[in-house]
Amino acid sequence: QHKLLKQMNERLKEELKFANLLQHTLIVEDKPLDNVHMTGKYISSSEIGGDFYDCIEIDDEIWFIIADVSGHGVAAAMISSMLKVMFSSNVNLHKSPAKVLESMNSTFCPMISGRYHLTAFVGLIKDGQLIYSNAGHPYPIHISSSGKKVNMLEQNGFILGAFDDIQFDDAYCKADKGDIIFCYTDGLLELKPH
């Protein structure tokens, strides 16, 4: 039995390593687009986790998302993989971050039945304006190109997956060329000094 448990443990470790590699192919750390440059860093607290971010350019629109699935492990990683596909399809269907979040929520609610929750922040940059909506995610930071103006993109909204009929609101601010939008998950807030 000991030998069998050891073999099963080794196989599980190999599968988690492979899942980690797959997850990292979904999360691009450097993505230069025509009108924006996305740079990110993903460091999972375990072999695989539920954090996710992406940036998509459609014509003159820049869509981006950062999300965090509750918990760690295979299920959270699978949900975050589904987020990537869902986000990509929803930005082609809806013209507002709030509507994207509402659509994602109505899809996720019946699937996860309250077992997992997701926080997410969706942004859209177009015509010199940032339109954004928040589903319980930590507030991103907007830094002006001059570096003289720094704002928290404060906006509240319910987490995804809790209730199936949630409505979200859009918020607006000016977005100039060279501005920086710094997004992060709660993992950054949970870091402990060594």
Side-chain angles (χ1 to χ4, degrees), residues 47-58:
E47 289 290 330
I48 54 177
D51 294 357
F52 169 75
Y53 60 87
D54 199 6
C55 185
I56 299 170
E57 192 167 24
I58 302 170

Side-chain angles (χ1 to χ4, degrees), residues 21-60:
L21 287 172
L22 286 175
Q23 187 174 35
H24 276 82
T25 62
L26 294 175
I27 299 176
V28 179
E29 291 192 351
D30 191 49
K31 190 174 189 178
L33 301 167
D34 289 339
N35 295 306
V36 72
H37 189 105
M38 182 199 78
T39 301
K41 185 68 178 167
Y42 176 71
I43 304 169
S44 178
S45 63
S46 59
E47 289 290 330
I48 54 177
D51 294 357
F52 169 75
Y53 60 87
D54 199 6
C55 185
I56 299 170
E57 192 167 24
I58 302 170
D59 299 323
D60 291 331

Side-chain angles (χ1 to χ4, degrees), residues 52-54 64-68 119-123 137-138 140 183-185:
F52 169 75
Y53 60 87
D54 199 6
F64 64 94
I65 185 172
I66 185 161
D68 184 5
T119 65
F121 181 95
V122 174
H137 201 77
C183 301
Y184 53 95
T185 64

Side-chain angles (χ1 to χ4, degrees), residues 23-167:
Q23 187 174 35
H24 276 82
T25 62
L26 294 175
I27 299 176
V28 179
E29 291 192 351
D30 191 49
K31 190 174 189 178
L33 301 167
D34 289 339
N35 295 306
V36 72
H37 189 105
M38 182 199 78
T39 301
K41 185 68 178 167
Y42 176 71
I43 304 169
S44 178
S45 63
S46 59
E47 289 290 330
I48 54 177
D51 294 357
F52 169 75
Y53 60 87
D54 199 6
C55 185
I56 299 170
E57 192 167 24
I58 302 170
D59 299 323
D60 291 331
E61 297 180 349
I62 308 297
W63 285 89
F64 64 94
I65 185 172
I66 185 161
D68 184 5
V69 180
S70 62
H72 303 282
V74 176
M78 288 178 70
I79 293 169
S80 70
S81 299
M82 290 170 28
L83 267 176
K84 180 179 179 72
V85 174
M86 202 176 296
F87 175 69
S88 297
S89 64
N90 274 295
V91 297
N92 287 302
L93 298 174
H94 305 287
K95 292 300 173 191
S96 141
K99 294 298 178 197
V100 168
L101 286 174
E102 287 171 14
S103 178
M104 291 171 73
N105 184 64
S106 66
T107 302
F108 270 116
C109 251
M111 287 176 18
I112 59 178
S113 304
R115 288 184 295 246
Y116 289 88
H117 297 109
L118 300 83
T119 65
F121 181 95
V122 174
L124 165 62
I125 301 169
K126 75 176 196 178
D127 302 326
Q129 191 173 45
L130 169 62
I131 306 162
Y132 59 93
S133 191
N134 195 344
H137 201 77
Y139 304 142
I141 301 168
H142 179 213
I143 304 165
S144 69
S145 57
S146 66
K148 294 181 181 178
K149 191 173 178 185
V150 178
N151 293 322
M152 298 292 284
L153 298 176
E154 295 183 23
Q155 195 219 19
N156 297 317
F158 284 103
I159 58 176
L160 302 176
F163 307 102
D164 61 0
D165 59 350
I166 298 172
Q167 292 187 340

